[in-house]
Amino acid sequence: MDNLTMKQWVGGQYNSFHHFMSKIDEDALHRFLVYNEPYVRIGNFVVEVSKYRKTVTILNTKSGKCAIAHCAPTDQFVMWYGVGICWARYNHVERPKFPVRKRLSELKPHDIFKLYTSQKYEFIGTTTERTKGEVGYVAFALDSRGDDKEYFTFFEDYCTVWE
């Protein structure tokens, strides 16, 4: 997934959080967002931001439902980004999958990919061609027209994968 698309998705989740929480308690939300209080109670919700641990936690004290978002150790912690991801997890919203250019040699079995056409393939593994000794990548076509599986060997190394 490219960086801009991910930021747009997280921004939408953050806006959803802001809209929902502003209906409950505008003042508490303001303290949390403007004054960066690390621990705020907004109605039945407790929202905690730990810059030291690089985490955001949302807890509903009434239902006990909780979600946590962790920042990768190599990434810089950004509060709104963590809140957006945490809110998505709290609401069971899955991160959308986006096409990414990848090498076939990096794929794992059962990854779905495309090459030149709109035809999708499921990666199986690697093989060595008997005559030339080249490494090939074996996959079968995901065909919605029938149950027949056609196996293919690819010697190109770049494809499109959904992550």
Side-chain angles (χ1 to χ4, degrees):
M1 172 186 323
D2 67 6
N3 208 10
L4 177 62
T5 311
M6 182 66 175
K7 280 185 180 178
Q8 289 172 340
W9 179 78
V10 171
Q13 294 301 314
Y14 175 79
N15 289 339
S16 171
F17 167 82
H18 187 279
H19 181 71
F20 183 83
M21 294 298 175
S22 65
K23 289 181 178 179
I24 298 172
D25 189 347
E26 185 76 40
D27 294 333
L29 182 64
H30 185 74
R31 285 194 326 272
F32 174 68
L33 298 177
V34 176
Y35 297 114
N36 293 322
E37 290 186 14
Y39 175 87
V40 175
R41 184 178 193 98
I42 305 171
N44 292 331
F45 291 89
V46 175
V47 183
E48 178 192 27
V49 175
S50 173
K51 292 180 183 177
Y52 174 72
R53 288 181 297 168
K54 296 183 173 184
T55 62
V56 176
T57 306
I58 297 174
L59 169 68
N60 185 329
T61 57
K62 188 173 184 179
S63 68
K65 187 175 174 182
C66 181
I68 301 172
H70 300 272
C71 182
T74 56
D75 290 346
Q76 180 181 356
F77 180 75
V78 179
M79 190 267 304
W80 71 267
Y81 209 87
V83 169
I85 291 173
C86 193
W87 184 246
R89 287 184 180 165
Y90 180 84
N91 291 308
H92 303 290
V93 176
E94 287 193 32
R95 180 177 67 88
K97 299 197 182 277
F98 297 95
V100 176
R101 193 97 169 114
K102 219 174 184 181
R103 298 180 74 135
L104 277 165
S105 55
E106 298 172 356
L107 297 183
K108 298 180 187 102
H110 307 294
D111 282 350
I112 307 299
F113 69 95
K114 280 196 215 176
L115 274 174
Y116 310 111
T117 64
S118 61
Q119 176 67 48
K120 290 185 180 179
Y121 302 93
E122 183 174 339
F123 184 74
I124 297 174
T126 59
T127 185
T128 305
E129 189 177 273
R130 292 182 186 150
T131 57
K132 298 179 185 173
E134 290 183 61
V135 173
Y137 306 98
V138 180
F140 66 86
L142 299 175
D143 189 4
S144 59
R145 295 174 295 222
D147 293 335
D148 295 337
K149 292 186 179 174
E150 296 181 53
Y151 291 88
F152 297 91
T153 302
F154 300 98
F155 294 97
E156 292 288 327
D157 199 20
Y158 286 95
C159 65
T160 304
V161 181
W162 280 260
E163 290 185 341

